[in-house]
């Protein structure tokens, strides 16, 4: 499907996840969440950030300046308690920006090759890496926010935080197929 395209472009194209086709009066979903690579399958899920950090910073700076301008104007008209709340609002914008920046690069990656299953995830400052044997890895029912539970013995990982709930069952089917291949 993506012959002649470099690997990074392939992965970005796969993050689109859902392609809609019109068939016989009904919409059907043709999904390929994971991609087949030279070593096996890779499932790469990341947060959907619709705004760049630079643009978000510009918007937050403008909002902060407007809030401070309003606070200063009211301060000079005698309403002195408006200005501290304007500073509080600017502080909340700064906290929101850094929270967004901290989680903008969150991702989960599951790679299945001929012998092993590699899992890595980044959530904020936490980085986690696990390695399972493919022959012993199992998909089990999960009660943890409807995530996919991949386990080997007593070790469990929950996969699928960055994919829509409706697509998790399709992701689970693809992972099961990758584990059986």
């Amino acid at each position: 499907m993506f012959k002649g395209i470099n690997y990074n472009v392939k992965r970005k194209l796969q993050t689109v996840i859902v392609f809609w086709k019109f068939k016989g009066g009904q919409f059907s979903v043709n999904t390929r969440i994971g991609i087949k690579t030279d070593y096996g399958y890779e499932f790469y899920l990341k947060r959907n950030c619709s705004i760049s950090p630079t643009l978000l910073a510009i918007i937050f700076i403008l909002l902060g300046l407007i809030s401070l301008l309003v606070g200063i104007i009211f301060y000079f008209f005698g309403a002195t308690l408006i200005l501290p709340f304007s500073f509080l609002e600017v502080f909340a914008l700064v906290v929101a920006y850094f929270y967004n920046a901290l989680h903008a690069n969150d991702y989960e990656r599951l790679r299945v090759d001929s012998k092993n299953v590699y899992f890595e995830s980044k959530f904020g400052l936490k980085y986690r890496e696990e390695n399972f044997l493919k022959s012993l890895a199992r998909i089990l029912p999960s009660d943890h926010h409807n995530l996919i539970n991949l386990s080997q013995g007593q070790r469990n990982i929950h996969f699928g935080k960055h994919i829509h709930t409706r697509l998790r069952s399709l992701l689970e089917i693809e992972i099961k197929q990758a584990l059986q291949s």
Side-chain angles (χ1 to χ4, degrees):
M1 180 175 179
F2 297 117
K3 292 180 180 170
I5 299 177
N6 104 14
Y7 179 72
N8 291 332
V9 174
K10 279 186 196 177
R11 191 167 67 197
K12 288 177 184 175
L13 289 173
Q14 288 295 329
T15 58
V16 171
I17 297 173
V18 178
F19 304 97
W20 290 93
K21 287 195 264 181
F22 189 77
K23 277 188 180 175
Q26 296 179 359
F27 283 105
S28 68
V29 179
N30 179 13
T31 60
R32 285 298 305 170
I33 298 168
I35 60 171
K36 179 130 175 74
T37 60
D38 295 337
Y39 57 83
Y41 290 91
E42 181 174 353
F43 302 92
Y44 183 78
L45 308 175
K46 63 180 182 173
R47 288 181 51 130
N48 183 12
C49 293
S50 58
I51 190 168
S52 71
T54 306
L55 186 59
L56 185 66
I58 291 169
I59 290 171
F60 278 9
I61 287 170
L62 288 176
L63 286 173
L65 289 175
I66 290 170
S67 177
L68 286 176
L69 181 66
V70 168
I72 290 170
I73 289 171
F74 275 96
Y75 180 79
F76 284 121
F77 282 123
T80 57
L81 289 178
I82 301 295
L83 190 58
F85 284 102
S86 293
F87 282 119
L88 185 65
E89 185 176 350
V90 170
F91 177 73
L93 286 171
V94 169
V95 168
Y97 176 76
F98 283 111
Y99 179 81
N100 186 17
L102 182 66
H103 291 286
N105 293 325
D106 290 354
Y107 71 92
E108 295 175 303
R109 176 181 290 145
L110 187 71
R111 291 185 306 176
V112 180
D113 65 19
S114 61
K115 295 181 182 177
N116 296 312
V117 177
Y118 303 100
F119 170 78
E120 67 177 294
S121 70
K122 181 184 171 293
F123 184 74
L125 298 175
K126 291 188 250 176
Y127 178 78
R128 181 176 176 196
E129 196 170 323
E130 295 279 340
N131 187 10
F132 294 156
L133 289 173
K134 181 179 172 183
S135 59
L136 298 176
R138 301 287 177 255
I139 301 285
L140 298 175
S142 175
D143 55 347
H144 190 267
H145 302 290
N146 199 21
L147 296 175
I148 298 167
N149 185 8
L150 184 65
S151 71
Q152 177 181 331
Q154 296 297 317
R155 295 184 336 183
N156 292 318
I157 59 168
H158 298 285
F159 186 69
K161 290 178 190 165
H162 303 296
I163 192 168
H164 194 273
T165 309
R166 293 180 185 168
L167 294 174
R168 282 192 190 133
S169 60
L170 297 172
L171 176 62
E172 183 177 350
I173 290 169
E174 265 193 66
I175 293 172
K176 282 181 181 178
Q177 289 173 349
L179 288 174
Q180 291 172 356
S181 65

